[in-house]
Amino acid sequence: MKLSLGKGKKILPIALVVAAAAGGAGYYFWGSGAKAEEYVTAKIERGNVRNTVNATGTLQAVTTVQVGSQVSGIISALYVDFNSVVKKGQLVAQLDPSIFQAQVAQQRANVEAARANLADAQARLIAAEVAIENQRAGVSSALANLEALKAMRDDAKSNVQRQESLASSGLINQRDMDIARTSFQSADARYNQATAQLAQARATEQQAARAGLAQAQAAIKQAQAQVQQTSATLRLAEVNLSHTTIHSPIDGVVVSRNVDVGQTVAASLQAPTLFTIANDLTLMQVIANIDQADIGVINSANRIGFTVDAFPGQQFNGKISQIRLNPQNVQNVVTYNVVIDVSNPELKLKPGMTANLTVTIAERNDVLKVPNAALRFRPADITQEKLREMMRGDRPEQPAPAATPAEQKKPDEKAAAPDQKRRGDRAAAAPDQKKPGEQPAAAGAPSGERRRENGAGSGPPSTAVIQGQRRIVWVLGPDKKPQPRRIRIGITDGVNSEIAEGELKEGDTIIVAQNITSDARPATSRAPGFGGPGGPGGGGRPR
């Protein structure tokens, strides 16, 4: 079928009109489609709630020993390598001992020389003691001579006295008297001389005892000290020689080897590490970093589970053995080290692995649970003050009924549009939540778009979920309006909380959020086009 050019010109305007009508109808039905549900709800269900603390830690052996060298030298032999199983006392490495052997030989020679000096000092002491004995013998001889001379002097003195008696009687002449006196004077002089010799001998004996003997004894002590000093130096050299042979201090597995044959190790300020030996890898520890906000609920009764990246999906268990009091402050983040004992019979876990820990603080099974979002939700027309009054009352107060559609469509002479009136009424009912005339966060969005808010129009969020706290939640009543219910919450896992007691039962529909639809937006927020201000049918979309 052919169309003439004139007919084609007539069909084109008709097609444009049909397309425009179809576009306007599509926009109308897209913008005014079935009204979205006003509230986002969830069901009260039974299930398990577990309060946990998550942390990370590092796996390590219970006992790890770094085997080092106390002396410097060249590694001449290695007898173990990575992953070698060693026993306590087993030879693991050898340093070149030649220098230390020479030092031992030198110190042994010094010990022998010191012992020779001690023997010489002892000989000098004996000589001094002999000299003292000789001096004592001279004193004894002088004392005996003095006694003999004393007897001779006394005899001469008696003879003088007899001669004087005879001379006074005229029985002897003067010559005999003079001879007797001379003999007495001679004996007295010899006695005095012997007394001086005795005193000199005693002084010589004391001087020899004080000087010679003391000097000899001091020489002996000095020689003995020298022997002890050189002996100690010899023992030190022998110990250094023994340190060239390195043994394993424990039973275990060589985790790392840091040296090779021919390498020089220098033990100056600290011992260089040659090997790292782990005692028993079937029993390991996780050193976990627990934040200061969570450390208060951590104790040895907590159940510990963790995973490692090497075995995804496999759960390992542990037990807290120690909570260390020493705080770790890294960039103003304070954590505490918690030591967790781990059984590793299959040796799957390796030292240094990062453990992703889950510490179970409390757990409830088969209990009613409520989403935490429901605890934060509050209807837009319920103020904080009204909520507190409801908490204090014996029975929760029912919220005021919402306006009917007819009332919502009632014209308001003071309002520019019905949307603005309803928005102003809502702001007046909750002055502590939103300032009058404040535009919604999503103002200007296209018509038909909806925004979800937890506790829409409820102002600042509620306080943190605390076990034992009493809260008000809202269920969706038969009239599709929120109704308050009071509950007491138990433990929480961050998403859901246990309902310890309250006015909820399994299957109840609870409100967790409120949808803000285009009905609650200003009229000016619609995009220009069909059905909107300034577009075809400029009166806007009918309600």
Side-chain angles (χ1 to χ4, degrees):
M1 178 179 179
K2 293 185 177 181
L3 294 175
S4 64
L5 184 60
K7 292 182 179 179
K9 292 181 178 180
K10 294 180 180 179
I11 293 175
L12 182 60
I14 297 174
L16 292 176
V17 172
V18 171
Y27 180 84
Y28 174 82
F29 286 107
W30 171 74
S32 60
K35 183 181 179 180
E37 292 293 335
E38 185 176 359
Y39 299 103
V40 179
T41 61
K43 293 289 186 181
I44 297 296
E45 300 176 345
R46 284 193 173 272
N48 302 334
V49 180
R50 188 170 61 150
N51 185 7
T52 61
V53 171
N54 296 323
T56 59
T58 304
L59 278 160
Q60 63 181 34
V62 176
T63 303
T64 302
V65 178
Q66 294 181 340
V67 181
S69 174
Q70 296 185 15
V71 296
S72 301
I74 299 175
I75 301 293
S76 61
L78 292 174
Y79 301 101
V80 295
D81 202 348
F82 290 94
N83 301 337
S84 297
V85 179
V86 296
K87 298 294 182 181
K88 183 177 181 179
Q90 178 180 337
L91 180 63
V92 295
Q94 178 67 56
L95 273 67
D96 183 11
S98 56
I99 296 177
F100 300 96
Q101 289 172 345
Q103 291 176 352
V104 169
Q106 180 182 5
Q107 295 305 323
R108 283 177 179 168
N110 292 338
V111 170
E112 294 300 326
R115 288 176 178 172
N117 291 335
L118 176 60
D120 182 65
Q122 289 174 343
R124 290 198 299 270
L125 176 62
I126 293 173
E129 290 176 347
V130 170
I132 291 174
E133 290 297 328
N134 292 334
Q135 294 296 333
R136 288 175 180 173
V139 170
S140 299
S141 175
L143 182 60
N145 185 39
L146 179 64
E147 292 297 330
L149 292 176
K150 180 181 179 182
M152 293 175 63
R153 187 195 65 170
D154 293 342
D155 181 66
K157 184 177 180 179
S158 299
N159 187 33
V160 167
Q161 291 175 351
R162 286 195 303 271
Q163 292 299 328
E164 287 179 349
S165 176
L166 293 175
S168 61
S169 301
L171 297 178
I172 60 171
N173 54 25
Q174 187 63 33
R175 175 70 179 169
D176 293 334
M177 183 63 188
D178 293 336
I179 292 173
R181 287 178 178 174
T182 301
S183 298
F184 170 72
Q185 291 175 354
S186 176
D188 185 59
R190 288 195 298 271
Y191 174 77
N192 292 334
Q193 182 181 5
T195 301
Q197 291 176 350
L198 176 61
Q200 182 179 4
R202 285 177 174 173
T204 303
E205 177 189 7
Q206 292 177 357
Q207 183 179 3
R210 286 194 305 267
L213 183 61
Q215 184 177 3
Q217 290 174 344
I220 287 180
K221 290 181 179 180
Q222 183 178 2
Q224 290 174 341
Q226 187 177 4
V227 169
Q228 293 178 353
Q229 181 179 2
T230 54
S231 298
T233 306
L234 173 61
R235 287 194 296 271
L236 177 60
E238 291 173 343
V239 169
N240 288 337
L241 177 61
S242 67
H243 285 164
T244 60
T245 303
I246 301 173
H247 301 84
S248 173
I250 59 172
D251 297 339
V253 178
V254 177
V255 177
S256 67
R257 174 177 61 82
N258 303 324
V259 293
D260 293 307
V261 175
Q263 182 175 342
T264 301
V265 295
S268 54
L269 298 179
Q270 60 182 4
T273 300
L274 308 182
F275 305 94
T276 301
I277 300 178
N279 178 246
D280 185 6
L281 294 182
T282 61
L283 297 176
M284 300 189 71
Q285 287 180 338
V286 176
I287 307 299
N289 298 319
I290 303 297
D291 190 85
Q292 62 175 338
D294 300 322
I295 196 66
V297 295
I298 302 297
N299 56 67
S300 59
N302 297 143
R303 182 160 54 89
I304 308 294
F306 67 92
T307 60
V308 293
D309 294 339
F311 302 99
Q314 185 171 354
Q315 184 79 10
F316 299 90
N317 298 317
K319 183 178 180 181
I320 295 177
S321 63
Q322 186 182 49
I323 301 176
R324 294 177 178 172
L325 301 178
N326 183 31
Q328 308 294 319
N329 191 332
V330 179
Q331 296 182 351
N332 293 329
V333 176
V334 179
T335 60
Y336 291 86
N337 287 341
V338 176
V339 181
I340 301 168
D341 291 336
V342 178
S343 178
N344 187 31
E346 300 179 1
L347 301 179
K348 289 185 175 181
L349 302 175
K350 312 298 182 187
M353 284 184 172
T354 299
N356 303 307
L357 294 125
T358 300
V359 183
T360 301
I361 306 303
E363 187 173 10
R364 303 286 189 272
N365 297 322
D366 194 26
V367 296
L368 290 178
K369 56 182 183 178
V370 59
N372 286 354
L375 301 176
R376 295 187 292 268
F377 171 77
R378 175 163 53 87
D381 53 354
I382 301 296
T383 64
Q384 291 283 3
E385 182 62 30
K386 192 172 183 179
L387 190 64
R388 285 191 288 268
E389 292 177 359
M390 295 169 64
M391 288 295 297
R392 290 193 297 265
D394 294 336
R395 297 182 60 184
E397 182 180 351
Q398 298 292 336
T404 63
E407 293 173 341
Q408 293 177 357
K409 293 182 180 180
K410 185 177 179 180
D412 189 346
E413 298 178 355
K414 297 182 180 179
D419 287 342
Q420 295 176 350
K421 176 181 183 300
R422 183 162 50 253
R423 192 167 59 251
D425 293 341
R426 182 170 296 177
D432 59 332
Q433 300 165 20
K434 188 182 299 182
K435 296 181 180 179
E438 182 181 355
Q439 296 295 331
S447 175
E449 180 185 355
R450 65 181 183 177
R451 177 170 56 93
R452 176 177 297 181
E453 294 181 351
N454 287 336
S458 59
S462 304
T463 57
V465 178
I466 302 175
Q467 184 175 356
Q469 195 178 46
R470 294 189 178 274
R471 303 287 283 269
I472 287 183
V473 295
W474 302 83
V475 299
L476 195 62
D479 56 352
K480 302 300 181 181
K481 301 302 178 185
Q483 298 178 358
R485 296 288 187 270
R486 287 189 296 186
I487 62 171
R488 183 170 63 84
I489 57 178
I491 66 173
T492 181
D493 59 6
V495 177
N496 298 299
S497 295
E498 173 198 7
I499 302 176
E501 62 180 45
E503 302 167 347
L504 294 177
K505 61 182 182 299
E506 186 177 0
D508 283 349
T509 301
I510 190 164
I511 302 174
V512 298
Q514 185 173 3
N515 290 320
I516 303 300
T517 63
S518 59
D519 294 340
R521 302 179 188 278
T524 57
S525 65
R526 297 190 185 94
F530 295 106
R541 177 166 53 90
R543 297 184 179 275

